[in-house]
Amino acid sequence: MIDVYLQNDNVVFEVIGWHKIWTFKSKIIISKKDIVKAYQHKKPFGFWKGWRMPGTEIPGIIIAGSYYQRSEWYFWDVINKKKTIIVELKNAEYKKLIIEVANPLETMHFLNQL
């Protein structure tokens, strides 16, 4: 799970608990001007996430870490798909963050108001 908060002009996506081990990251810091939008995807995620480098995937249980697909990087941290949001980015290491948060509606509203 990811905790999202503002620190100066940056948004910090902090990886919580055991997820640090599964994602191989403790936090991602993105300039708030580089956040395009945050939303939920209603359709189930497809099978192919990309090349996992590094990360953890147990089909149907967890998707976590950095994935490379179509010349772009994506960051995943998902166990509960119902609490998952997608954060589109520009001028950042990742094209999208696909992350599980405690309160998806509140987090999307926060990110979309930046």
Side-chain angles (χ1 to χ4, degrees):
M1 184 170 299
I2 305 288
D3 189 21
V4 181
Y5 56 91
L6 192 61
Q7 186 177 59
N8 302 319
D9 284 337
N10 297 316
V11 179
V12 178
F13 296 86
E14 186 169 359
V15 183
I16 305 297
W18 286 96
H19 293 246
K20 291 178 186 179
I21 294 169
W22 300 324
T23 63
F24 291 84
K25 284 212 180 270
S26 59
K27 65 176 72 170
I28 297 170
I29 301 171
I30 305 289
S31 171
K32 66 182 185 179
K33 65 181 169 69
D34 290 335
I35 295 176
V36 176
K37 65 180 175 177
Y39 58 94
Q40 281 190 302
H41 197 290
K42 299 299 178 195
K43 296 178 185 176
F45 300 111
F47 176 76
W48 177 248
K49 311 295 183 284
W51 298 102
R52 185 176 60 239
M53 296 189 239
T56 305
E57 183 173 9
I58 302 171
I61 298 174
I62 185 170
I63 306 162
S66 298
Y67 288 75
Y68 187 74
Q69 183 184 64
R70 297 185 191 124
S71 301
E72 297 174 317
W73 286 97
Y74 298 82
F75 179 80
W76 288 77
D77 187 14
V78 177
I79 291 178
N80 184 345
K81 292 178 184 176
K82 292 180 182 178
K83 291 190 169 201
T84 299
I85 65 170
I86 299 169
V87 183
E88 284 190 22
L89 306 170
K90 63 180 181 181
N91 305 319
E93 175 184 3
Y94 295 102
K95 177 165 178 72
K96 292 181 183 177
L97 308 177
I98 303 96
I99 56 174
E100 178 184 338
V101 294
N103 188 327
L105 293 176
E106 183 180 294
T107 306
M108 286 186 300
H109 179 73
F110 165 72
L111 292 170
N112 288 325
Q113 295 301 312
L114 297 175

